[in-house]
Amino acid sequence: MSEKKSKGQELMEELSYKKKNYYETADEKERKEIFAYAEGYKTFLDAAKTEREATAYAVGVAKENGFTEYRFGDKLKAGDKKYFVNRGKSVVVFRVGTKDPETDGFRIIASHIDAPRIDIKQNPLYEDSGMAFLKTHYYGGIKKYQWTAIPLALHGVVVLKNGEAVSVCVGEDAADPVFYINDLLPHLGAEQMAGNANKVIEGEQLNVVVGGLPYADGEVSEKIKLTVLDCLKRKYGMTEEDFLSAELSAVPAYGARDIGFDRALIGAYGHDDRVCAYPALTAVVGNASEHTVLAMLVDKEEIGSEGTTGIQCKVYEDLMEEIAVALGANFRKVRAASKCLSSDVTAAYDPNFAGVFEKMNAAILSCGTCMSKFTGARGKSGSNDANAEFVGEVRGAFAREGVVWQTAELGKVDIGGGGTVAKFVAQLNIDTVDLGVPVISMHAPWELISKADLYSTYKAFLAFMK
Ligand code: MN
Ligand code: MN
């Protein structure tokens, strides 16, 4: 049925813009690549639920590919493959290119590897009414009620009195126990359910169940607490006081799984922002470039990029300056010539919640990696708002390399908003724009993405590095 198109139809095709579904436009070979790439991503997700684990995983992948550790002051030359670890919680993987850094700058892909979760307080352990609990303070923007009545794993590190750091990971092995946050039964939940969703579960109710077995000694008053302390002593050599210098987090205990009969989608904890960190890592580790390219996997984005491991810390600027100096380049010139993709997730349009989106400027699932020229809220406040010239340059690179991509902003005007690391990188006089994978149910304990958008993001990074 190939009737000739009318003149108007031809003109409309030539002049108008429509986003494309990447699965629809991909040939069979590319579809296979999309699905194959997702397998490696799921392995990464299950191995790296915290920023520490993601850092260790990235270092492992870098080492396997011939990258070696970089320390401030080290010499550098074209062709060097290096990784720089910041306090075990963030990592920059980089390749030194052949181009002149003063005129070509660096190509930077910045993603974050922390995710919303339930952090354990410093004096957390108590027992009450047949259960032992850990008190918590949640990390990042969560809907608190979503974190009850699901299996939780405990990840982190305990620094003992003697200074030794002991790693903790319980709940990931099928033979491990898991942990739990209580919710109220509907039979007694009438008053709870009538309340504001913010108050359905309050912060101080997010107490994690960690035990229920009384220690066999009639002389002790807190018997279940003692059983838990006894377990912790035998397993980690720790006492209750050692919680004071611990960093423990409860995260969903389940792993990444394909979603749908056709396996087009992936459900997992922490797609935000590991779904951009993984393509950043694999793009830089697995592909040579004439440019000097850096994959920055940073911490603390979910709480404002603060602290010594968040991107606002000078350590990342110091690293870039060290690289520039080691290559004999003027750092100001390098920065001025550098370009950055702030690679973070955005909200995918959800037809179940259509009211909060403006569909023409919303990210549609499987239509490829999504550029947000600006983020922010209420009149673009707090946003990077990239230059049209830079957006045009990136667009040109995507067109040359056949990247299927789209643009969007996060929700309707004045409905909400969000921020990324983009504005902090831009402060260094580096052209920066947001680009990343659209996510359904962002910040929920289990989020959803499309394998097509994941692979499109990887291809976008390759185009950016070319
Ligand atoms: Mn994010
Ligand atoms: Mn986030």
Side-chain angles (χ1 to χ4, degrees), residues 338-395:
S338 291
K339 301 164 202 311
C340 173
L341 295 180
S342 159
S343 192
D344 204 344
V345 299
T346 189
Y349 176 82
D350 189 335
N352 294 331
F353 302 95
V356 299
F357 296 96
E358 184 271 283
K359 202 170 182 183
M360 282 177 64
N361 290 283
I364 307 294
L365 212 66
S366 300
C367 287
T369 195
C370 182
M371 181 189 287
S372 300
K373 184 177 178 295
F374 53 86
T375 56
R378 293 170 301 280
K380 301 189 180 180
S381 187
S383 166
N384 165 51
D385 204 2
N387 296 329
E389 288 84 351
F390 181 51
V391 171
E393 194 183 323
V394 174
R395 180 183 156 203

Side-chain angles (χ1 to χ4, degrees), residues 112 114 272-273 301-302 344-345 419-420 442-443:
H112 67 92
D114 61 318
D272 176 8
D273 184 31
E301 193 279 339
E302 296 295 355
D344 204 344
V345 299
T420 65
M442 194 196 297
H443 285 203

Side-chain angles (χ1 to χ4, degrees), residues 274-292:
R274 279 156 235 185
V275 74
C276 298
Y278 182 75
L281 173 68
T282 51
V284 170
V285 163
N287 301 277
S289 175
E290 291 180 343
H291 307 287
T292 294

Side-chain angles (χ1 to χ4, degrees), residues 188-357:
L188 299 177
E191 196 181 324
Q192 177 199 33
M193 296 298 283
N196 178 327
N198 259 321
K199 306 267 180 188
V200 163
I201 295 289
E202 304 226 40
E204 292 295 352
Q205 290 175 316
L206 292 173
N207 302 311
V208 181
V209 176
V210 294
L213 189 69
Y215 193 88
D217 183 338
E219 302 303 308
V220 180
S221 60
E222 297 174 293
K223 297 189 182 68
I224 301 174
K225 175 176 172 174
L226 184 58
T227 301
V228 171
L229 284 172
D230 190 39
C231 289
L232 293 174
K233 176 69 186 172
R234 280 186 281 117
K235 193 153 185 200
Y236 305 110
M238 69 179 284
T239 66
E240 187 176 16
E241 194 181 348
D242 291 322
F243 277 115
L244 298 178
S245 49
E247 225 166 50
L248 296 171
S249 305
V251 298
Y254 30 66
R257 300 284 296 270
D258 288 346
I259 289 185
F261 290 113
D262 54 12
R263 298 179 174 267
L265 315 170
I266 302 174
Y269 163 65
H271 281 313
D272 176 8
D273 184 31
R274 279 156 235 185
V275 74
C276 298
Y278 182 75
L281 173 68
T282 51
V284 170
V285 163
N287 301 277
S289 175
E290 291 180 343
H291 307 287
T292 294
V293 291
L294 294 82
M296 291 192 170
L297 311 187
V298 299
D299 181 29
K300 295 279 187 279
E301 193 279 339
E302 296 295 355
I303 58 166
S305 297
E306 313 284 353
T308 51
T309 51
I311 205 154
Q312 292 199 68
C313 177
K314 290 281 180 214
V315 66
Y316 305 101
E317 188 184 339
D318 286 349
L319 173 64
M320 285 188 270
E321 183 167 3
E322 287 283 311
I323 297 171
V325 169
L327 298 174
N330 175 308
F331 185 43
R332 287 183 184 172
K333 286 185 180 174
V334 171
R335 284 192 305 178
S338 291
K339 301 164 202 311
C340 173
L341 295 180
S342 159
S343 192
D344 204 344
V345 299
T346 189
Y349 176 82
D350 189 335
N352 294 331
F353 302 95
V356 299
F357 296 96

Side-chain angles (χ1 to χ4, degrees), residues 47-108:
K49 288 190 174 177
T50 66
E51 61 276 5
R52 288 178 191 274
E53 291 164 357
T55 297
Y57 191 95
V59 167
V61 170
K63 277 183 173 170
E64 275 169 28
N65 286 273
F67 285 64
T68 54
E69 185 164 16
Y70 172 81
R71 290 195 172 88
F72 285 168
D74 286 357
K75 289 198 169 73
L76 289 172
K77 59 179 188 315
D80 278 352
K81 305 192 289 183
K82 296 283 173 183
Y83 64 87
F84 174 83
V85 176
N86 176 21
R87 296 169 169 86
K89 296 167 80 169
S90 77
V91 57
V92 180
V93 177
F94 65 96
R95 284 174 178 270
V96 180
T98 48
K99 294 207 170 196
D100 178 1
E102 287 191 1
T103 53
D104 190 60
F106 299 156
R107 297 286 182 284
I108 302 157

